[in-house]
Amino acid sequence: MLTQSQTGLIDIEHELVPDSLDIISFDTHLMGGVPYFFGHGSLHSIRMKLEEYSFDKLFLITSPKIWRLHGERLFQTLESFFPCEPVMIQDEEANKNISTLNRLCEELIDRRVSKDSILLSLGGGVVGNVVGLAAALIYRGIRFVEIPTTLIAQTDSCLSNKQGINGIRGKNHFGVYYAPLFIWSDSKVLMSESLRARRSGLVESVKNGLISDPLFLLFLEERLKRGLNLSEETLHEVVFRSTISKIRILEQDPTEKHYGVILEYGHTIGHALERLCQGKITHGEAIAIGMMAEAGISQELGMLTADEVDRHRCLLANLLSMDLHIPAGLSVERILETVEADNKRSLRGIRYILLERIGNVANPDGDYLMTVSKDVAAAALSEMVAAN
Ligand SMILES: NC(=O)c1ccc[n+]([C@@H]2O[C@H](COP(=O)([O-])OP(=O)(O)OC[C@H]3O[C@@H](n4cnc5c(N)ncnc54)[C@H](O)[C@@H]3O)[C@@H](O)[C@H]2O)c1
């Protein structure tokens, strides 16, 4: 059964019927509008959706690991209905680069991809970003479908239309905005993700609650208090609500240039940590520390109360088991130097997204990015140095 609905009308109490074909679809409100189909045990039903399109060939692009877990079976389903070829790429962050993109594009040309072909990207953010960029470049743009297989990809990266690869000097330096034909998301495939990946993905969900959705935050606190070994039903519900919480922000600003910048909460310091730690901590782990530090800055500036900062700690350290200390070997000074190189640096200094209270981002003078002095940031960060 396909239930067509829009974000505002979505039955938020939607109940999961395990292994059913119950699929909720909603418009992601991205530029041009991208339908997002979300189900449980619905991976193989993508076959029915694809029948609505005409194409000469499908290319199922994934990594060897995802192929073993989910890809091979999906390929067998698709192959019995359509001309379909599998293509493998490496999906470590270090492979999200121009060589992988180049190899993929040339391999597709060798295999006679045409303007009538459709690329299917099956994987996390790395596969999604590389395939999205390849789709945008081949013959100046061919169709692609995103099938996200990580919590972060289902609730975050696939909603942005941002396709890109890393450069030698930094993340996502080269890319374009390019929309998939549709997104096909099955929460059941997330059961094979590691607990570390699940925790990291949930940091962005917590962030959505902190910046704009206190009710969703209460929901997360309730669902996560029994630990992170979530049942399939709970995971489905968490992913569904996380996705909606991000879409509600994108509805107001699909380009993430004005109101949408609030999604960068925790990212000014988080990105600096990610860069300094060079893969030793995940994106979510860096953003958790970043949010904690930026909550401390809000408190220093007299906005968040000590209780509200404590609520950050409970959510991130107690419920998600995140280490909120500054990673060993890093000094406050070094972090702030790296923050200075952050792309938010402008003539107005280093700027942060800050909360005035839980669920509300400060917006003085109509600007969600606030300039903060180095001393204030240093004071907040100093609280987070691990006592050795
Ligand atoms: N475009 C955007 O707006 C945006 C937003 C957030 C993140 N990203 C990008 O996404 C990337 C991170 O993506 P990610 O966190 O989804 O992970 P990932 O793509 O880096 O994958 C991480 C690991 O998980 C494995 N994996 C994927 N699905 C699995 C599954 N179902 N079960 C078991 N293992 C599985 C992969 O093989 C890989 O080893 C980064 O490059 C980041 O820049 C982009």
Side-chain angles (χ1 to χ4, degrees):
M1 182 181 68
L2 288 183
T3 321
Q4 194 74 37
S5 49
Q6 300 200 329
T7 43
L9 301 175
I10 277 177
D11 174 10
I12 216 87
E13 299 307 329
H14 167 77
E15 266 187 38
L16 170 73
V17 182
D19 291 319
S20 70
L21 292 186
D22 190 17
I23 295 165
I24 300 165
S25 79
F26 43 93
D27 194 313
T28 61
H29 296 272
L30 297 166
M31 292 158 291
V34 179
Y36 183 117
F37 296 89
F38 180 60
H40 178 263
S42 55
L43 182 62
H44 295 248
S45 309
I46 193 175
R47 196 261 305 163
M48 293 189 278
K49 184 73 195 158
L50 286 166
E51 274 171 1
E52 293 174 19
Y53 298 88
S54 68
F55 49 84
D56 60 357
K57 204 190 272 185
L58 298 172
F59 289 91
L60 178 65
I61 305 164
T62 192
S63 73
K65 179 177 175 189
I66 304 166
W67 172 258
R68 283 192 299 278
L69 289 168
H70 307 286
E72 188 169 8
R73 269 171 294 137
L74 177 60
F75 174 70
Q76 284 161 357
T77 300
L78 294 175
E79 189 194 31
S80 50
F81 291 91
F82 314 110
C84 184
E85 288 188 29
V87 181
M88 296 301 141
I89 61 174
Q90 296 301 326
D91 66 356
E92 288 76 35
E93 186 67 29
N95 295 111
K96 190 176 140 176
N97 58 24
I98 196 118
S99 316
T100 303
L101 176 73
N102 185 46
R103 266 199 306 275
L104 173 62
C105 290
E106 294 295 354
E107 180 167 351
L108 288 167
I109 300 287
D110 275 353
R111 299 223 212 157
R112 302 195 189 287
V113 67
S114 84
K115 286 181 179 171
D116 293 324
S117 307
I118 295 181
L119 309 185
L120 306 176
S121 78
L122 177 74
V126 170
V127 173
N129 282 185
V130 173
V131 174
L133 188 52
L137 294 174
I138 292 171
Y139 308 133
R140 300 192 187 87
I142 62 172
R143 294 168 296 172
F144 87 107
V145 169
E146 201 153 350
I147 313 171
T149 63
T150 62
L151 197 146
I152 199 104
Q154 292 192 356
T155 61
D156 195 50
S157 63
C158 79
L159 299 173
S160 72
N161 271 355
K162 290 182 204 162
Q163 318 304 342
I165 51 169
N166 303 329
I168 292 171
R169 287 181 185 75
K171 267 179 74 71
N172 300 321
H173 275 186
F174 309 108
V176 293
Y177 285 90
Y178 194 68
L181 209 48
F182 61 88
I183 299 160
W184 194 266
S185 179
D186 175 3
S187 65
K188 198 169 182 177
V189 301
L190 303 182
M191 294 308 285
S192 57
E193 257 199 306
S194 70
L195 220 48
R196 186 180 185 194
R198 179 177 295 176
R199 275 199 331 244
S200 296
L202 285 169
V203 170
E204 299 280 355
S205 307
V206 165
K207 181 200 70 186
N208 295 350
L210 288 169
I211 57 179
S212 69
D213 198 344
L215 277 179
F216 173 56
L217 211 54
L218 285 171
F219 161 84
L220 279 177
E221 285 166 333
E222 161 62 26
R223 290 300 188 279
L224 300 179
K225 71 182 177 209
R226 276 169 251 121
L228 288 169
N229 278 316
L230 307 176
S231 67
E232 289 190 24
E233 287 80 358
T234 306
L235 184 60
H236 181 78
E237 204 186 359
V238 166
V239 172
F240 176 67
R241 287 186 183 236
S242 299
T243 308
I244 299 290
S245 71
K246 173 142 183 186
I247 287 175
R248 288 209 168 121
I249 296 168
L250 292 176
E251 266 177 342
Q252 297 180 55
D253 177 15
T255 62
E256 298 177 45
K257 292 213 165 80
H258 183 60
Y259 178 66
V261 298
I262 70 169
L263 289 161
E264 297 284 300
Y265 183 45
H267 284 58
T268 303
I269 287 175
H271 274 157
L273 293 172
E274 219 180 341
R275 201 168 319 150
L276 287 167
C277 292
Q278 296 188 338
K280 288 195 202 83
I281 60 173
T282 65
H283 177 72
E285 287 160 358
I287 300 309
I289 302 171
M291 284 197 287
M292 202 58 222
E294 294 176 20
I297 294 175
S298 288
Q299 190 184 6
E300 293 277 336
L301 295 176
M303 295 192 286
L304 286 183
T305 64
D307 282 352
E308 288 174 311
V309 175
D310 254 357
R311 193 162 172 206
H312 279 67
R313 197 170 290 110
C314 284
L315 276 155
L316 298 167
N318 301 359
L319 296 185
L320 296 188
S321 310
M322 288 285 169
D323 182 352
L324 298 177
H325 293 108
I326 288 175
L330 292 187
S331 65
V332 170
E333 189 56 34
R334 181 123 183 265
I335 295 168
L336 290 176
E337 276 167 17
T338 310
V339 167
E340 293 229 338
D342 191 284
N343 55 19
K344 267 177 234 58
R345 185 167 173 73
S346 70
L347 290 177
R348 283 174 282 177
I350 309 299
R351 305 199 303 147
Y352 295 81
I353 301 294
L354 297 176
L355 300 190
E356 58 184 8
R357 60 175 190 277
I358 301 274
N360 260 74
V361 172
N363 182 21
D365 312 319
D367 194 345
Y368 290 102
L369 283 161
M370 281 182 70
T371 305
V372 172
S373 76
K374 201 168 173 178
D375 288 350
V376 170
L381 276 167
S382 304
E383 299 282 315
M384 300 172 63
V385 176
N388 291 316

